[in-house]
């Protein structure tokens, strides 16, 4: 591999020099059949890169109130975009539909000049596409030109917006697209749009040629002669001109335009309010989403080459089979490892192809030199004595025998014949000579030519056309047939080479394979999570909510615990940015506040928020709210206090009961004494007092 041009990546888009966002710019590869080479590219979204915004508006009658609301859009848009770039230019264009029946009113006659005649209003005659303002840095001119505009009216519901998109894309000189700038084409409407072949309703059968047809009056001159463009043509032209398309559409048609965006790389879809009052926010958010993603596309790849990609996005993590990175910030650098493998030899020995990021002007040109011939052929030795006395040409170490000669050294003549030599042309006794697909000459099989391919092998037992087919193609078109077996190209496997090993087709918008709800099998998602469905298993009404999913990411990235940390898949699964905060703030309606308890019974609070660029941020409270352990001293004091209090209460109650009882007894006694009616004179039990005295000196009558 030889690097032919390698300018260093720029840090900013401002200044006099041309910004470089991709490195290298040109390389040359020398490859032989079945050989492969690996090369790397780096891409950086530089800061302060110039921006061109062309506002393409539906001016049918239903958008009348929207026209009034964007009259000051130029000034407001410039104010907001100046925060992202110092070099902004904006332009304006309008569309309705093809001015031909059945798309326009042709009766009564007044309706041709005034399509609003029947509803008693005045509006402009119908037009297909009108270029109003070339891209300019004078934002006040945008406001002035918008104020001059009036609506028109078409007959059917769909509009002719795709005609306007293709003209705004290919008419470089009229629109004023700059080479060194990001190109944004903002498409606003509240209706569906006509697509290719719809022109047959008006008898228009000539396909859209993808050329510029804006006349001197800045009107689309081929509106009534060329059909509406196809999605494929739009994709091709948008890619060639490095234009990012923004569908700003109302709620009723968002689903339709999201389907369109999946088919047009580099396209975003935003929901426009009914009066376009939120168009400023929508443009800024869409620009952020575009700048947060880098996706590679390949142009003019020779069919003899196959490419496989590995992406190194954030945290220096290599993701196999991926050629895009999301969730980037301006100034981030990502790299891609690309393996180029040769599957065959073309007629032209040198071919080239281009690899570029979607929406970027920068690209890598890869020149491939197919080395299908050996240099030793230049030193061939005709009639070499090495080839049995000059019966062949000694070339690259082997003999290329002259007509009528055979053998590794051309030692055998076809005219010579020996029955015993035929035994060397059969793999076993009783088996046909040369597998019935050749002749046995001089003991060697000379295989017959076949219209289907080449017959080879010692016994002509092999060929390159008897392998299994898938959908009518040998080895599914992704391999080579060798003796009945498919030798698959790189990135392909399976018996038929019909199973790709690439995972980029299974990558969902959140950066995970199959949205984390399944695994990628043969380039398609097999959803394993119960309830999940969709091309990338992105739809799952019964799956865990955002809080449940992001809980594991908080555990592994903030606290270094959890199942993801044990499985060592934290950096791959969780691409969220963690920010520690003291309190959770109000970041808008898209923010989700979450709370959970960890294994230590601590309450963890965090907020999940996805910004306008698609990057998810987890705001986590710095310290979890953990329950505190009991205070032993306080517990003892409380117990002792409780016991003392209970004792005092019990003593008080006992004293109260005794006092009440004594008072009751005393009252009873007083009551009984008051009821007594007798005194001591009538008491039959009463005896008077008797006093007895003894004279100790009395001795009797002696």
């Amino acid at each position: 591999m030889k690097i032919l041009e390698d300018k260093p990546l720029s840090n900013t888009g401002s200044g006099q020099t041309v910004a470089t966002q991709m490195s290298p710019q040109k390389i040359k590869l020398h490859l032989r059949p079945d050989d492969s080479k690996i090369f790397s590219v780096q891409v950086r979204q530089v800061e302060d890169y110039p921006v061109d915004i062309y506002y393409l508006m539906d001016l049918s009658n239903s958008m009348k109130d929207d026209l009034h609301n964007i009259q000051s859009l130029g000034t407001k848009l410039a104010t907001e975009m100046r925060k992202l770039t110092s070099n902004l230019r904006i332009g304006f264009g309008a569309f309705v539909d093809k001015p031909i029946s059945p798309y326009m009113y042709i009766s009564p006659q007044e309706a041709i000049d005034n399509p609003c005649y029947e509803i008693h209003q005045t509006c402009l005659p119908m037009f297909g596409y009108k270029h109003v303002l070339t891209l300019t840095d004078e934002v006040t001119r945008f406001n002035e030109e918008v104020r001059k505009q009036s609506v028109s009216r078409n007959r059917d519901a769909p509009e002719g917006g795709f005609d306007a998109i293709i003209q705004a894309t290919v008419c470089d000189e009229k629109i004023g697209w700059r080479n060194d700038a990001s190109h944004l084409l903002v498409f606003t409407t509240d209706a569906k749009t006509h697509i290719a072949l719809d022109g047959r309703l008006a008898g228009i059968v000539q396909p859209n040629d993808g050329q510029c047809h804006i006349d001197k009056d800045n009107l689309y001159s081929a509106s009534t002669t060329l059909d509406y463009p196809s999605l494929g043509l739009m994709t091709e032209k948008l890619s060639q001109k490095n234009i990012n398309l923004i569908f700003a559409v109302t709620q009723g048609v968002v689903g339709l335009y999201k389907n369109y965006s999946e088919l047009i790389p580099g396209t975003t879809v935003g929901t426009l309010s009914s009066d376009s009052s939120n168009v400023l926010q929508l443009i800024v958010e869409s620009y952020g989403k575009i700048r947060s993603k880098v996706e590679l596309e390949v142009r003019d790849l020779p069919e003899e080459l196959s490419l496989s990609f590995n992406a190194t996005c954030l945290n220096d993590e290599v993701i196999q089979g991926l050629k895009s990175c999301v969730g980037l910030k301006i100034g981030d650098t990502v790299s891609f490892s690309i393996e180029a493998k040769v599957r065959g030899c073309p007629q032209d020995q040198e071919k080239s192809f281009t690899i570029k990021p979607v929406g970027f002007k920068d690209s890598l040109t890869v020149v491939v030199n197919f080395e299908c011939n050996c240099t030793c052929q230049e030193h061939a030795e005709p009639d070499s004595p090495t080839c049995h006395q000059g019966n062949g040409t000694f070339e690259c170490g082997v003999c290329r025998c002259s007509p009528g000669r055979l053998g590794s050294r051309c030692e055998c003549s076809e005219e010579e014949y020996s029955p015993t030599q035929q035994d060397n042309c059969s793999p076993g006794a009783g088996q046909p000579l040369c597998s019935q697909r050749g002749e046995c000459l001089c003991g060697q099989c000379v295989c017959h030519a076949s219209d289907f391919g080449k017959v080879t092998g010692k016994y002509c037992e092999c060929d390159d056309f008897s392998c299994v087919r898938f959908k009518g193609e040998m080895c599914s078109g992704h391999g080579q047939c060798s003796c009945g077996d498919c030798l698959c190209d790189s990135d392909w496997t399976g018996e038929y080479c019909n199973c790709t090993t690439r995972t980029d087709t299974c990558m969902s918008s959140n950066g995970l394979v199959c949205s984390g709800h399944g695994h990628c099998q043969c380039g398609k998602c097999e959803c394993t999570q119960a309830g999940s469905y969709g091309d990338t298993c992105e739809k799952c009404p019964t799956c865990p909510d955002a809080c449940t999913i992001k809980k594991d990411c908080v555990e592994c990235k903030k606290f270094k615990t959890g199942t993801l940390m044990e499985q060592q898949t934290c950096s791959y699964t969780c691409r969220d940015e963690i920010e520690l905060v003291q309190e959770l703030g109000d970041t808008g309606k898209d923010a989700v506040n979450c709370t959970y308890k960890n294994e230590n019974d601590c309450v963890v609070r965090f907020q999940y928020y996805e910004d306008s660029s698609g990057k998810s941020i987890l705001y986590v409270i710095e310290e979890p709210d953990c329950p505190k352990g009991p205070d032993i001293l306080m517990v003892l004091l409380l117990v002792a206090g409780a016991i003392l209090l209970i004792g005092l209460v019990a003593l008080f109650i006992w004293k109260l009961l005794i006092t009440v009882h004594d008072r009751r007894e005393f009252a009873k006694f007083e009551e009984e004494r008051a009821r007594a009616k007798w005194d001591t004179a009538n008491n039959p039990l009463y005896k008077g007092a008797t006093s007895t005295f003894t004279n100790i000196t009395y001795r009797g009558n002696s």
Side-chain angles (χ1 to χ4, degrees), residues 96-305:
V96 182
D97 206 347
K98 293 184 179 298
I100 188 174
S101 180
Y103 310 119
M104 68 176 291
Y105 291 96
I106 59 174
S107 178
Q109 182 66 30
E110 292 83 357
I112 298 178
D113 296 327
N114 179 19
C116 301
Y117 176 78
E118 291 184 350
I119 58 176
H120 307 293
Q121 296 179 13
T122 302
C123 56
L124 292 177
M126 189 168 155
F127 58 90
Y129 162 64
K130 175 173 61 176
H131 169 58
V132 178
L133 177 65
T134 301
L135 290 166
T136 177
D137 55 3
E138 299 177 14
V139 294
T140 55
R141 284 196 58 199
F142 180 93
N143 300 340
E144 294 171 359
E145 293 297 334
V146 171
R147 292 191 185 100
K148 297 177 183 178
Q149 303 307 310
S150 298
V151 296
S152 183
R153 184 171 178 237
N154 60 321
R155 187 173 185 178
D156 62 341
E159 318 292 5
F162 281 3
D163 268 345
I165 289 177
I166 203 72
Q167 290 303 303
T169 299
V170 299
C171 297
D172 305 67
E173 295 183 0
K174 286 284 187 179
I175 305 301
W177 297 115
R178 292 176 291 180
N179 291 329
D180 300 324
S182 292
H183 302 155
L184 303 184
L185 180 57
V186 182
F187 177 89
T188 61
T189 185
D190 62 350
K192 300 178 181 179
T193 183
H194 285 293
I195 59 176
L197 301 181
D198 282 359
R200 292 180 298 177
L201 295 172
I204 303 174
V205 296
Q206 185 175 351
N208 197 291
D209 58 5
Q211 302 298 317
C212 182
H213 296 285
I214 297 181
D215 59 21
K216 61 180 181 179
D217 295 324
N218 287 336
L219 293 173
Y220 178 33
S221 60
S223 181
T224 58
T225 57
L226 294 180
D227 193 9
Y228 300 99
S230 65
L231 290 175
L233 179 62
M234 288 172 53
T235 301
E236 177 187 349
K237 296 302 180 181
L238 288 168
S239 176
Q240 287 179 0
K241 304 299 183 180
N242 306 317
I243 295 175
N244 293 108
L245 180 60
I246 299 175
F247 285 129
V249 295
T250 53
Q251 182 64 44
V253 292
V254 165
L256 173 66
Y257 285 93
K258 281 187 175 179
N259 292 336
Y260 288 152
S261 69
E262 293 176 359
L263 302 174
I264 306 175
T267 302
T268 59
V269 181
T271 304
L272 189 69
S273 61
S274 58
D275 58 357
S276 296
S277 58
N278 68 330
V279 67
L280 175 62
Q281 177 186 359
L282 193 150
I283 293 174
V284 174
E285 289 181 353
S286 298
Y287 179 69
K289 290 181 180 179
I290 291 170
R291 294 279 280 169
S292 69
K293 181 177 181 180
V294 171
E295 181 180 4
L296 297 184
E297 63 175 345
V298 182
R299 294 180 181 175
D300 305 322
L301 181 68
E303 61 180 10
E304 296 82 11
L305 278 177

Side-chain angles (χ1 to χ4, degrees), residues 497-515:
C497 299
N498 62 329
C499 181
T500 180
T501 58
R502 294 175 56 179
T503 59
D504 55 334
T505 55
C506 298
M507 201 63 59
S508 61
S509 58
N510 62 4
L512 297 179
V513 175
C514 299
S515 305

Side-chain angles (χ1 to χ4, degrees), residues 470-471 475-479 486-503 505-506 519-526:
F470 183 76
K471 293 184 177 180
C475 300
S476 305
H478 303 300
C486 286
L487 302 179
C488 301
D489 299 333
S490 60
D491 298 333
W492 293 91
T493 185
E495 183 181 359
Y496 312 138
C497 299
N498 62 329
C499 181
T500 180
T501 58
R502 294 175 56 179
T503 59
T505 55
C506 298
H519 59 270
C520 191
Q521 182 68 29
C522 297
K524 295 183 178 180
C525 282
E526 292 187 0

Side-chain angles (χ1 to χ4, degrees), residues 449-468:
S450 173
D451 295 335
F452 300 105
K454 185 185 296 184
V455 179
T456 58
K458 182 178 180 180
Y459 306 111
C460 301
E461 73 279 10
C462 293
D463 59 55
D464 60 358
F465 54 83
S466 295
C467 291
V468 291

Side-chain angles (χ1 to χ4, degrees), residues 11 183 193 209 263 316 318 418 421 439 441 449 628-629 651:
N11 294 318
H183 302 155
T193 183
D209 58 5
L263 302 174
D316 295 329
V318 178
S418 173
Q421 292 177 344
E439 297 183 22
L441 300 176
K628 297 181 180 180
L651 183 61

